[in-house]
Every structure is written in structure tokens, then in C-alpha cells.
Amino acid sequence: MWPGSPQPLGTRFHTGPGGVAGTNFALWAGGAEGVEVCLFDDAGAETRYALAELTHEIWHGFLPGVAPGQRYGYRVHGRWDPWSGARWNPAKLLLDPYARAVDGEFTLPAEVYGHVRDWPQQHVADTVRDERDSAPFVPKGVVVDDQDDWGDDRRPKTPWPDSVIYELHVRGFTMRHPGVPERLRGTYAGLAHPAAIEHLTRLGVTAVELLPVHQFAHEDHLLRRGLRNYWGYNSVGYFAPHAAYAASGTRGQQVGEFKRMVHALHAAGIEVLLDVVYNHTAEGGERGPTLSLRGIDNPAYYRLPPQDARRYTDYTGCGNTLHVVRPQVLRLITDSLRYWVQEMGVDGFRFDLAAALARSMHDVDMLSPFLAVIAQDPVLRRVKLIAEPWDVGSGGYQVGAFPPLWTEWNDRYRDTVRDFWRGSLPDMRDLGYRLSGSSDLYAWGGRRPYASVNFVTAHDGFTLRDLVSYEHKRNEANGEGNRDGTHDNRSWNCGAEGETGQEDVLALRRRQLRNVLTTLLLSTGVPMLVAGDEMGRTQEGNNNAYCQDGPVSWVDWSLLRDPAWRSLFDLASRLITLRRAHPVLRRRAFFSGRAQGTRGLRDLAWFTARGEEMAESDWYAPCATLGMYLSGRDIPQRDPRGRPVRDDSFLCLLHADPEDTRFRLPGAAWGDAYEVVVDTAHEETPEGAVHAAGSEVPLTARSVVVFRVRDEPGEAETAGYGPG
């Protein structure tokens, strides 16, 4: 072992002193008394080397002859004193937090726990150190070749207002895809396959948001029930692509495979966003396994209650919370983020339970170290940043509170749209704000409408089809007595619970799906779809399928052969195309709601079914019918050459009432005629129907009609109230 260097952290294969090739090892373990790096051959035989050099709490050394593909881990020596948070145990082989590839899978037998897991007195089990060697039972880090195979990759750099996000699971998206070779299904290479990318480009999305692809572990309670963590929100390796998603091998090949996937998506004009879980790790609470950080320096990496350091502060609901205020933890996270941007090519991140990262010592703080570091980082401040703006701790709900630079998952949008289409919205104010960009949440500090990531469904909860088919969750397959998953689904089954053969119910469900998709894709903000929703994927009523690695979670591509579901896909694609063609649907600034220009028309106006602008009192009255007028003449935006942007104007009629009605179109002040471009009452929208200004049009029960305004005339004085 040569002295080596404390920088960079992790392992780096390079040419050392005297031109000798080898690998440098560097591990931050501030409170440790000693560190050994352990190398493993193909038969599993272990060779240990002490890291004798200690620089600024980093243990380091250079091993000549160690090449890419070498498997390794660490053993860290120190005190065993759980009451003060000290849980060092050199019997446990630890994964390098900076490992860029992992070989093997965590199966969590008793030997991988730092304490005696099965101690008879369970209330003190976590205080009894387990002396058994865990090395035969845990995955190993892999030394990775740093040669650049990135090629001529060009990032799409899609502006936020033009973005349409598609949330998908790497494995589930391709496991049943008939056009992807069987050997590639469920892998990074499968997602990179032309057949998979063709669906994304035909649909028209601009970015995929991948459920966690950091190396993760399955929870013990799932393994005991014969299940697995499918979603992956249980990270243990923040630099390593999850090995089980690799078709090419797990001795470093997964790194190149992931890069090639990103390259293929970029070539198709699609950005890659990662759903990342830096708020907690797979080690869980005090009764969890010792896999990495707990054994490296438990009190330095995790938040421990000052009054009881044996326990863990849990703002995540997952047993522990990373102590992001500490410099070494903040460095781990930001080093990881930069690695995925600079070396792996990704375009942004969605941060799971981001409020936990924004906490200072206790409270959520929008001036916290994490947010401050991101804001000034020359790499990270230029990529897409999406917050899940809550955690489970006190004061953790922070929708609308994240600073400029950040966008947010807007659950207020989700709940409002669900309520409207199931007939439960008490008044129209909230709907007006959600449709027009949620200015009540985001019109401060320079934030823009695209700060709102609008969604109606996500991986967590019902699929879109299940949202109109079930009022009660069906989670029995998860093995938790149907107690898991939310009870607050805000769903409506359209008259029959679950799958049914009643044609009238099925027709209504399909219309409701068209209503929700149309509402989502024409709302101001950034829309997010979930893989399979555009073709009627069902999870059979399971609203918490985190442990269902099977057909219930995988995209069912056979649905596209069914004309009813194919027409839903065609509608989604047509709506995205409409959105892409019209800047009035992709606004970069909030509506003012005031008269604009010489014509005196509002840039955003709201109408009752009588064809009259809504008065203030109308916003407080229960109502199921709303007209939204979007003016394309008053867009506060200029093109790259400085010319004003002009567009068509649109009138959207949303009718959630169970009875048919008639809607009087706005008069000549707003347009000469109105041409139908979308009508969700039909599986296929009739082409080219035109209605005169001021005429009455029929609205089918529970439907959306979208008109393009034709031949807008001159000046008119208008008045009214509503969200701007």
C-alpha cells in the first residue's frame, strides 16, 4: 500500500508514481480509529490492506496493480457505544459510499447487521454487537475504468416551459415490450432500444423521469414475505447505477450501459431526469442492517436525537435521515449530483422528500446549507431541479415555498383536478388557480408558471385508469393487510367498483380519462404523465405497488392493440402536439387577468355557461361548468430576434356535471367564430366543427371541449374577476 492521495474520494484507477498503474482508495471516516480496504477475487477470497494515511479525516492509499473490475469493500474500526451513536464494527464489510459500480445484491441475512438481530430481548438487541463476518453475504464495490465513452452526446436542453415529463420505471417500462429483445427487457439497454424510444417520440414527451436508479437494497420485511422493493426508494449507493437493471454485466459494465442509454435518449431529443433519494438510506433505524454509512461513521452521517443518540431522527418515515447540515454529508450529495450530470450525462433531478434536505438543525429552512450550495454550484444550478416539497416531520409541507431555480411537484393541482372531475369541488377558485399556473403558490420571488409540475397521477397512488375504476384500494398482495397506501384517493369508480363488463360504465370511464388528460396537458405549468396512463394501464386497484415487481406494475403494451386504449394514446399525443405548437399553452409568465393592449381584452378570462364573464361571486358558488379563454395576442414574450410572440387564442370548456347542458360562446368582442379542436365526448374528435360567436353549443355530461378562436375582431371593454 502506497500513501496515495485523499482526493478524489472513492476509487480512481490511474498511473501512479514511477508510471505504475493502480487504484487510489480514499474514504472519509472522521471518527474512525482505523480503516482497511478489502479486495476480493472471483472465488470470494479476501485480502486486507490497512489505509495508514489520514489527511483531513480522509483515510487513503494507492495499491499498485489493482485494475478496473476489482471488487472491494471497507472494514472500519472504532468504538461500539450505541448510547452515544458509535456503531463501528469491523466484522461488517461496508460498501464505499463513492462506489461507482456494485456487484451483487443485498439479501439481508442476520450476518449483515452490526448488532445481533435475533437477540432474545429485542428491546436491547441493537446494543449487542454481532461479531460474525458479513463479507460473504453483501455486494462489493467495483473499481471502474474512467475512460471516456461518452462520444458526441448533445443535450436537448429543453426549456422548462416547453417540457412534458414522463415518469417511468426502467425495468417496468420494457419488461413486456414486444419490440424489445427479451434479453434486454428491464434494463438500461432495453430503454435505449429503438422500439422503446419510438413510443416516447410518438407520444411527444420531452423528458423521462426515471424512478430511482441509484443502487438500492430490498427491505428485510419484504424479503421475509418473498417480495422485493420495486420502486427503489431505498438507496445505498449514490454513485452506482442499480446493477439489476444492467444487461451487459455488473463488474463496471453497467456504467457504460447507462451512459449509452442517456446518449440514445438525447439523440431522440429526450432529456433524462433522475428521481433521487438523498433524504435517507437503506440502513433504516437502529434495528436496520449495517451496509455502509452506519459502519463508517454513524453519528456523522445521520441525524441522531441529542437526548438519545442510540435512536435516529426520522423525518422520512423510513427509519433515518441523512444529516445534510454536516459538510461531509453535503459533499457526498453534491459530489454525487455532479457525477451524474458531468460523467453520466443526466439533465436534472427530482428530489424525493426534498423538505428533509432543506432542514437546517431542525426546521425546514429555505436558506439551508443544501439549498444554498445548490444555488451557487456552477454545475447544479444549470440543470433541472424538481422538489417533492414535503417530508413527514413537523412543518414538512412546503408546497410553493422553495426558492427560485426550483420547480415543485404540485399536489394541490393533483387534488383539485381529481376533485373537480369526481364532482367534489366546493367552489371554482382553486380550479381557476390550478389551470392557470398556480399563481397563488408561485408568483413570488421571480418564480414562473413552470415552477408548478402539474400531475394527476404518479408512481405512488392509483394509475389514471384505476382513478376512475376504484374508490377503495386493493393492496392485499403487498402482505400488509391492506393497511398500507393512502385512504385519500379522491377517486370515483363511475358506478361500479373495479373491473366490469358494463358498457355504459366503461364508456364513462374512458371519457373521464380523456377529460383528465386534456385538463392536464392544456393547463399552464409543466405537465407530468406516468408511463402507461396514456394507454389505460391498471394496477388492479393497488395504490401502493412499491413491492410489486411483476405484471401488476409493468406497462402492458398489449393495450395499444385495443382500439379503445389506442385512441387514448392518440389523444394524448395530439394534445402534446397542440401544446408544442402553441406558446399560449406554454406561457413563460403568469397571466395578469387585466385588459391588455388596444383591444382591451384580458389575457385570461373566465366564463359561465351563460357566456358571461364570471363575477367575483361566481367564484364562491358551487359549479361544475367553467369556460377558460386564453388570449394568444397578449403573450408577454419575445422570440429570439426580439419580436413579440403572437398565437391563436383558445377557449376551453370544462363540464363535470352528470347532465348535458348548453354553453353560450363568448360574443363578437372575443372572436368571430370558434373551431372545435378537442371534444372528449367522442373517442375521436370530429374535425373542423365551427360555431359562431354568441351561439349556444351542447356540452355532453362530463366532457371537455377546446375551441380555437377564429378571426378575432377589434376593441372591446371587458370586466370580471378571477385567478390571474
Side-chain angles (χ1 to χ4, degrees):
M1 177 68 72
W2 297 358
S5 170
Q7 304 295 339
L9 291 171
T11 60
R12 286 295 186 274
F13 172 73
H14 66 101
T15 301
V20 176
T23 297
N24 193 80
F25 296 84
L27 177 73
W28 187 96
E33 297 172 358
V35 174
E36 295 172 302
V37 61
C38 309
L39 307 185
F40 294 85
D41 64 19
D42 290 342
E46 177 183 357
T47 305
R48 303 183 187 182
Y49 300 87
L51 293 177
E53 303 296 324
L54 180 61
T55 304
H56 302 312
E57 301 184 314
I58 297 171
W59 301 78
H60 56 92
F62 178 87
L63 276 175
V66 172
Q70 174 65 58
R71 300 187 303 155
Y72 74 100
Y74 289 110
R75 297 184 186 273
V76 182
H77 299 258
R79 296 179 301 115
W80 177 263
D81 182 20
W83 293 269
S84 65
R87 292 182 177 271
W88 284 281
N89 185 346
K92 308 305 168 184
L93 187 77
L94 306 174
L95 184 67
D96 180 3
Y98 280 73
R100 289 174 291 157
V102 176
D103 180 54
E105 188 169 302
F106 291 100
T107 57
L108 304 189
E111 289 84 353
V112 307
Y113 289 74
H115 64 279
V116 180
R117 186 188 68 182
D118 302 319
W119 191 255
Q121 291 78 38
Q122 278 292 294
H123 66 286
V124 294
D126 68 286
T127 68
V128 183
R129 191 161 84 165
D130 189 303
E131 303 294 345
R132 291 174 290 183
D133 184 9
S134 70
F137 308 99
V138 295
K140 315 300 189 290
V142 179
V143 176
V144 173
D145 191 344
D146 283 327
Q147 72 175 15
D148 183 18
D149 58 356
W150 193 228
D152 59 349
D153 180 72
R154 294 187 179 182
R155 299 176 185 269
K157 297 183 179 179
T158 306
W160 261 126
D162 302 338
S163 297
V164 178
I165 298 172
Y166 189 77
E167 186 192 46
L168 67 80
H169 190 286
V170 167
R171 177 170 167 82
F173 188 68
T174 58
M175 280 300 293
R176 304 174 72 179
H177 198 304
V180 175
E182 190 169 352
R183 64 183 179 83
L184 300 181
R185 293 177 187 173
T187 68
Y188 306 118
L191 181 54
H193 191 274
I197 292 178
E198 181 193 15
H199 179 81
L200 301 173
T201 55
R202 279 192 295 129
L203 182 58
V205 298
T206 68
V208 291
E209 182 177 302
L210 307 182
L211 266 68
V213 295
H214 289 166
Q215 185 70 38
F216 62 86
H218 307 289
E219 293 90 332
D220 181 64
H221 69 91
L222 292 178
L223 295 173
R224 289 171 183 257
R225 297 202 300 268
L227 298 171
R228 299 160 61 84
N229 187 317
Y230 171 69
W231 287 349
Y233 291 90
N234 208 37
S235 299
V236 70
Y238 290 130
F239 290 76
H242 189 61
Y245 299 159
S248 53
T250 60
R251 298 289 284 269
Q253 297 95 332
Q254 60 263 55
V255 178
E257 184 177 331
F258 186 95
K259 289 182 178 181
R260 290 188 292 274
M261 175 198 72
V262 173
H263 184 95
L265 288 164
H266 282 177
I270 298 170
E271 294 184 305
V272 179
L273 313 178
L274 301 188
D275 196 334
V276 290
V277 189
Y278 294 111
N279 55 77
H280 76 280
T281 75
E283 293 185 303
E286 62 271 12
R287 296 188 182 183
T290 296
L291 310 176
S292 182
L293 302 182
R294 173 177 282 136
I296 294 171
D297 198 326
N298 183 60
Y301 278 106
Y302 293 114
R303 289 181 181 264
L304 309 178
Q307 69 279 10
D308 186 6
R310 176 183 159 193
R311 314 294 181 186
Y312 291 79
T313 301
D314 185 8
Y315 294 126
T316 66
C318 300
N320 64 51
T321 307
L322 280 177
H323 205 333
V324 181
V325 174
R326 294 186 177 273
Q328 67 276 5
V329 181
L330 191 57
R331 178 180 178 183
L332 170 66
I333 295 172
T334 53
D335 282 354
S336 167
L337 292 169
R338 281 189 294 269
Y339 172 77
W340 288 97
V341 173
Q342 294 177 300
E343 298 194 37
M344 303 296 272
V346 306
D347 304 285
F349 307 92
R350 178 263 187 189
F351 291 82
D352 180 65
L353 300 182
L357 299 173
R359 290 182 182 271
S360 291
M361 294 311 296
H362 301 289
D363 297 331
V364 178
D365 178 5
M366 293 306 159
L367 297 176
S368 66
F370 172 75
L371 295 179
V373 166
I374 295 292
Q376 61 79 44
D377 190 286
V379 173
L380 302 179
R381 70 188 183 206
R382 290 182 169 86
V383 302
K384 287 184 165 68
L385 302 172
I386 307 171
E388 183 183 37
W390 52 78
D391 64 22
V392 302
S394 176
Y397 187 76
Q398 295 289 325
V399 173
F402 274 71
L405 187 70
W406 288 80
T407 64
E408 299 175 12
W409 270 26
N410 187 352
D411 68 330
R412 294 272 300 274
Y413 181 93
R414 174 199 64 197
D415 294 349
T416 299
V417 171
R418 287 188 180 195
D419 281 346
F420 178 74
W421 285 114
R422 70 187 179 112
S424 296
L425 194 66
D427 61 56
M428 304 300 284
R429 290 172 298 168
D430 205 38
L431 180 65
Y433 277 120
R434 302 310 143 233
L435 296 175
S436 59
S438 296
S439 60
D440 58 330
L441 299 176
Y442 301 113
W444 64 273
R447 302 189 82 182
R448 298 298 183 93
Y450 47 81
S452 176
V453 175
N454 298 330
F455 68 104
V456 180
T457 58
H459 64 275
D460 187 3
F462 281 151
T463 66
L464 193 59
R465 177 175 169 182
D466 289 354
L467 190 67
V468 301
S469 304
Y470 294 88
E471 294 183 7
H472 306 285
K473 61 186 179 180
R474 298 286 187 271
N475 296 359
E476 289 81 4
N478 296 353
E480 299 178 39
N482 206 35
R483 295 183 301 273
D484 62 305
T486 181
H487 296 283
D488 183 22
N489 294 296
R490 299 174 187 255
S491 60
W492 177 51
N493 62 22
C494 297
E497 184 71 4
E499 295 302 310
T500 180
Q502 300 178 51
E503 285 301 325
D504 58 335
V505 172
L506 294 175
L508 176 56
R509 288 177 178 176
R510 290 195 297 271
R511 187 159 75 247
Q512 287 285 79
L513 294 181
R514 295 194 293 272
N515 292 337
V516 173
L517 278 178
T518 303
T519 304
L520 173 64
L521 290 169
L522 298 186
S523 294
T524 302
V526 179
M528 184 185 80
L529 297 168
V530 178
D533 274 356
E534 75 279 11
M535 62 181 97
R537 185 177 76 88
T538 177
Q539 290 179 174
E540 301 171 4
N542 192 321
N543 74 352
N544 189 37
Y546 78 104
C547 57
Q548 296 300 317
D549 187 3
V552 73
S553 292
W554 301 340
V555 173
D556 181 3
W557 294 93
S558 70
L559 293 167
L560 285 177
R561 297 195 295 270
D562 184 329
W565 299 120
R566 177 64 191 219
S567 67
L568 185 68
F569 171 85
D570 291 341
L571 174 64
S573 178
R574 191 154 56 88
L575 288 167
I576 293 173
T577 299
L578 183 68
R579 183 183 183 91
R580 183 169 59 245
H582 292 284
V584 71
L585 303 175
R586 300 178 282 106
R587 285 180 60 103
R588 286 158 165 75
F590 287 105
F591 296 96
S592 71
R594 297 186 297 271
Q596 303 284 323
T598 59
R599 297 178 181 273
L601 295 179
R602 295 175 178 278
D603 59 354
L604 171 68
W606 306 93
F607 290 88
T608 69
R610 301 183 302 274
E612 301 170 350
E613 277 201 84
M614 292 181 68
E616 186 170 9
S617 59
D618 293 323
W619 290 104
Y620 294 86
C623 182
T625 308
L626 179 67
M628 178 175 65
Y629 185 100
L630 307 174
S631 174
R633 290 185 176 271
D634 306 299
I635 302 174
Q637 180 182 337
R638 295 189 295 169
D639 70 13
R641 297 177 66 180
R643 297 169 298 191
V645 172
R646 294 289 183 261
D647 193 13
D648 292 327
S649 297
F650 289 87
L651 176 67
C652 305
L653 307 183
L654 296 89
H655 180 55
D657 195 85
E659 302 295 333
D660 294 351
T661 192
R662 300 187 70 80
F663 195 105
R664 184 174 297 280
L665 297 173
W670 299 91
D672 281 345
Y674 297 83
E675 177 186 2
V676 175
V677 293
V678 175
D679 185 351
T680 65
H682 307 279
E683 299 277 357
E684 302 286 345
T685 299
E687 292 291 333
V690 179
H691 301 269
S695 64
E696 283 193 349
V697 295
L699 288 183
T700 303
R702 298 190 176 95
S703 66
V704 180
V705 182
V706 181
F707 299 91
R708 183 176 66 86
V709 181
R710 294 176 57 173
D711 300 324
E712 291 180 319
E715 297 180 8
E717 292 296 326
T718 61
Y721 303 86

